[in-house]
Amino acid sequence: MRKALTIAGSDSGGGAGIQADLKTFTAFKVYGMSALTAITAQNTLGVQGVHVLPPDFVTAQIRSVLGDIGADAAKTGMLATAPIVEAVAREARAFNLRALVVDPVMVAASGDPLLEPDAVEAVKTLLLPLALVVTPNLDEAAILAGEKIRDLNGMKEAARTIHALGPGHVLVKGGHLPGPRVFDVLYDGREFTVREAARIETTNSHGTGCTLSAGIAAGLARGQAVATAVAAAQAYVAEGLRAAVTLGKGRGPLNHLVAPKGI
């Protein structure tokens, strides 16, 4: 049984965060474990409240799981504060988590902040050097790279800048760029792989970023190469968007019940 750990916040609405990660791990037939960093009151309309857990308790959860069960891969999502980032980075080093996917969650799609400003520097200096893959969207990539991103060339330049911070691979997600086509850029420090696809028109896309990074972590846990894991996760997210059903009164989630290809 392959195993994956998610270190992230809880989404009470079930579409993103820990809940999306565990659903994705299950879809990829990987045993999922979790360490919660925060609890949110959240639904399709937005985030109504956030309760951040103490860093010591985040540490206790990680040590409990990894000290007993272990993990073939791990991912991070909402980390909220600099002390939590520091705790996660410390434990990732202590347990030698080589297949680590960092989703640098900073702001919810609703606009609600999910990472304190002083924690951004901690992510850049402490966590990114430990990551095998980092998966920023355009807004997150712009913050990490310190430059505005307006097109595909800007995505590539941001990927270069972020790669210099230490991660093995950078996946810059281009879904926020306008236009009928969507571009994602994967950079390994030598070559760019650009995925181009038609935009899937849906308002039910909550949890897309969490699901993508969890899918990558699941693929890594199954022993896949980074490029293979990324492609499989991208295909799973695309199918989940196509099959999304309307839940709630706002921006609903993608459908995690679709079957990943080749699983």
Side-chain angles (χ1 to χ4, degrees), residues 75-76 101-107 133-142 149 151-152 154-156 158-159 162 170-177 181-187 193 195 199 207-214 216 230 233-234 237:
K75 66 148 287 188
T76 66
V101 180
V102 173
D103 183 5
V105 176
M106 297 180 181
V107 180
V133 188
V134 59
T135 63
N137 62 28
L138 288 185
D139 294 334
E140 293 157 353
I149 303 173
D151 52 26
L152 180 58
M155 292 172 66
K156 290 182 176 180
I162 296 169
V170 180
L171 178 64
V172 178
K173 303 173 294 188
H176 292 171
L177 281 180
R181 309 293 291 178
V182 175
F183 298 90
D184 292 337
V185 172
L186 178 65
Y187 182 58
T193 301
R195 172 185 176 269
R199 185 179 299 277
T208 302
C210 302
T211 301
L212 179 65
S213 56
I216 296 170
V230 167
Q234 289 170 327
V237 168

Side-chain angles (χ1 to χ4, degrees), residues 116-197:
E116 294 182 354
D118 64 338
V120 174
E121 191 64 24
V123 169
K124 291 171 67 174
T125 60
L126 299 178
L127 201 56
L128 292 193
L130 304 176
L132 180 58
V133 188
V134 59
T135 63
N137 62 28
L138 288 185
D139 294 334
E140 293 157 353
I143 292 171
L144 293 173
E147 55 192 50
K148 188 74 173 177
I149 303 173
R150 296 181 174 84
D151 52 26
L152 180 58
N153 287 333
M155 292 172 66
K156 290 182 176 180
E157 287 304 315
R160 283 196 185 96
T161 301
I162 296 169
H163 187 269
L165 296 174
H169 300 73
V170 180
L171 178 64
V172 178
K173 303 173 294 188
H176 292 171
L177 281 180
R181 309 293 291 178
V182 175
F183 298 90
D184 292 337
V185 172
L186 178 65
Y187 182 58
D188 64 2
R190 299 176 302 278
E191 297 179 344
F192 291 99
T193 301
V194 179
R195 172 185 176 269
E196 179 183 357

Side-chain angles (χ1 to χ4, degrees), residues 28 132 215-216 218-233 261-263:
F28 279 83
L132 180 58
I216 296 170
L220 296 175
R222 292 171 61 89
Q224 294 178 341
V226 169
T228 302
V230 167
K261 294 180 181 179
I263 302 298

Side-chain angles (χ1 to χ4, degrees), residues 30-122:
V30 170
Y31 181 76
M33 304 163 291
S34 63
L36 269 68
T37 59
I39 302 169
T40 69
Q42 186 175 172
N43 54 26
T44 65
L45 298 173
V47 179
Q48 292 81 44
V50 176
H51 177 71
V52 177
L53 298 181
D56 287 350
F57 195 70
V58 176
T59 297
Q61 294 175 80
I62 296 171
R63 291 179 179 176
S64 178
V65 170
L66 295 182
D68 175 31
I69 303 171
D72 298 296
K75 66 148 287 188
T76 66
M78 175 187 177
L79 298 181
T81 69
I84 290 179
V85 174
E86 293 164 5
V88 171
R90 182 184 63 245
E91 298 310 311
R93 288 192 302 270
F95 285 97
N96 197 26
L97 288 177
R98 296 188 179 277
L100 177 64
V101 180
V102 173
D103 183 5
V105 176
M106 297 180 181
V107 180
S110 59
D112 298 284
L114 300 177
L115 186 68
E116 294 182 354
D118 64 338
V120 174
E121 191 64 24

